[in-house]
Amino acid sequence: DEGVFVGGRFSGSPLHVDQIGWSNVGKNFSGRKLLAVWPHGEATADLFRQHCYRLFTPPLQPAEEAALAAACKVALLTPGDVVLFSGANAHMALSVSLSLSLTAYESFVNFHPRSVAAFLESGTERQYRECRARARMVEEVKEEVVEAILDLKADLDNGRVSDPLLLAHAPPALQALQRDAFIAGRLKEAARLADAAGEHGGENDGGAPEQQQGRPRKAARLQDASP
């Protein structure tokens, strides 16, 4: 996923959790913006239910001040600043400059075990009900993850990966992702198609299944990063 946020003073994104538990990397190009991030999971459940989809704007109420005090990070983003955090954590962003603020972001699934676990919670009962993704949305994202897994496995198998961090962290992350029933099923089907293509003289380099070739690729990104 990717996008751009543009807004004036005291506009922003209210307290929420991303529908998909991936990581977000963003850059603030202009203006100033406050970003607050809270601890992941049950530690923030009561606070989340109390303030879900509420944007804290001045003057703050006592309950809002208490909520901000419970955040694990509150940061002021200035022009040129880059931010990385997990969208599975409750978070909120508020433009505070007189001029327009402009921030671009991109989402990806990183290799840290906690981040993989948060991604696999998407759409399950472990995710806050108010922000829980629909099953079809989760499946569409996992289809893209499968494409990325196939590409990465082919690169690993063919020795095209030399970065020591990727070599260390990619295999256990791929194993964890394959414990998901939907992802495992799609990978099994891809292997079956590859075997069938080989039996008939076709070629498959370990990338996307043949039935998916020819359509636009927008594979979810799999990268090594901290949660």
Side-chain angles (χ1 to χ4, degrees), residues 3-4 9 29 36 53 80 126 154 172 198:
V4 175
R9 194 179 193 196
F29 288 92
Y53 287 111
R126 291 184 60 83

Short mmCIF file of all heavy atoms in Angstrom, two decimals, residues 3-4 9 29 36 53 80 126 154 172 198:
data_model
loop_
_atom_site.label_atom_id
_atom_site.label_comp_id
_atom_site.label_asym_id
_atom_site.label_seq_id
_atom_site.Cartn_x
_atom_site.Cartn_y
_atom_site.Cartn_z
N GLY A 3 0.59 5.92 -0.33
CA GLY A 3 -0.30 7.06 -0.43
C GLY A 3 0.36 8.34 0.01
O GLY A 3 1.53 8.36 0.40
N VAL A 4 -0.41 9.42 -0.06
CA VAL A 4 0.06 10.75 0.31
C VAL A 4 -1.00 11.41 1.19
O VAL A 4 -2.20 11.32 0.89
CB VAL A 4 0.32 11.62 -0.94
CG1 VAL A 4 0.70 13.03 -0.52
CG2 VAL A 4 1.41 11.01 -1.80
N ARG A 9 -3.70 22.88 9.14
CA ARG A 9 -3.48 22.81 10.58
C ARG A 9 -4.64 22.12 11.29
O ARG A 9 -5.82 22.39 11.02
CB ARG A 9 -3.30 24.22 11.15
CG ARG A 9 -2.74 24.22 12.57
CD ARG A 9 -2.53 25.63 13.08
NE ARG A 9 -1.72 25.63 14.29
CZ ARG A 9 -1.64 26.66 15.13
NH1 ARG A 9 -2.30 27.79 14.87
NH2 ARG A 9 -0.88 26.59 16.20
N PHE A 29 7.44 15.81 3.72
CA PHE A 29 8.08 16.70 2.75
C PHE A 29 7.90 18.18 3.10
O PHE A 29 8.78 19.00 2.80
CB PHE A 29 7.52 16.44 1.34
CG PHE A 29 8.01 15.15 0.75
CD1 PHE A 29 7.28 13.99 0.91
CD2 PHE A 29 9.19 15.10 0.05
CE1 PHE A 29 7.73 12.79 0.38
CE2 PHE A 29 9.65 13.91 -0.50
CZ PHE A 29 8.92 12.75 -0.33
N ALA A 36 1.85 10.16 17.05
CA ALA A 36 1.84 9.42 18.33
C ALA A 36 1.59 7.95 18.04
O ALA A 36 0.73 7.60 17.22
CB ALA A 36 0.74 9.97 19.25
N TYR A 53 -10.78 6.20 16.58
CA TYR A 53 -11.10 7.14 15.50
C TYR A 53 -11.36 8.57 15.99
O TYR A 53 -12.11 9.32 15.37
CB TYR A 53 -12.28 6.62 14.66
CG TYR A 53 -11.89 5.47 13.78
CD1 TYR A 53 -12.37 4.19 14.02
CD2 TYR A 53 -11.04 5.65 12.69
CE1 TYR A 53 -12.00 3.13 13.22
CE2 TYR A 53 -10.66 4.60 11.89
CZ TYR A 53 -11.14 3.34 12.16
OH TYR A 53 -10.76 2.29 11.37
N GLY A 80 11.55 16.84 5.67
CA GLY A 80 12.69 15.97 5.44
C GLY A 80 12.80 14.80 6.38
O GLY A 80 13.59 13.88 6.15
N ARG A 126 -7.63 -11.35 17.05
CA ARG A 126 -6.57 -10.68 17.80
C ARG A 126 -6.42 -9.23 17.38
O ARG A 126 -5.79 -8.44 18.08
CB ARG A 126 -5.25 -11.42 17.62
CG ARG A 126 -5.22 -12.79 18.28
CD ARG A 126 -3.84 -13.43 18.16
NE ARG A 126 -2.82 -12.62 18.79
CZ ARG A 126 -2.55 -12.63 20.09
NH1 ARG A 126 -3.24 -13.42 20.90
NH2 ARG A 126 -1.58 -11.88 20.60
N ALA A 154 13.09 -17.80 -5.15
CA ALA A 154 13.85 -18.05 -6.37
C ALA A 154 15.21 -17.36 -6.31
O ALA A 154 16.23 -17.94 -6.69
CB ALA A 154 13.06 -17.56 -7.58
N PRO A 172 13.88 -17.63 8.16
CA PRO A 172 12.91 -17.82 9.24
C PRO A 172 11.62 -17.02 9.04
O PRO A 172 10.54 -17.47 9.43
CB PRO A 172 13.66 -17.35 10.50
CG PRO A 172 14.80 -16.53 10.00
CD PRO A 172 15.16 -17.08 8.68
N GLY A 198 6.83 -28.03 -15.82
CA GLY A 198 8.07 -28.74 -16.10
C GLY A 198 7.84 -30.03 -16.83
O GLY A 198 8.59 -30.40 -17.74
#
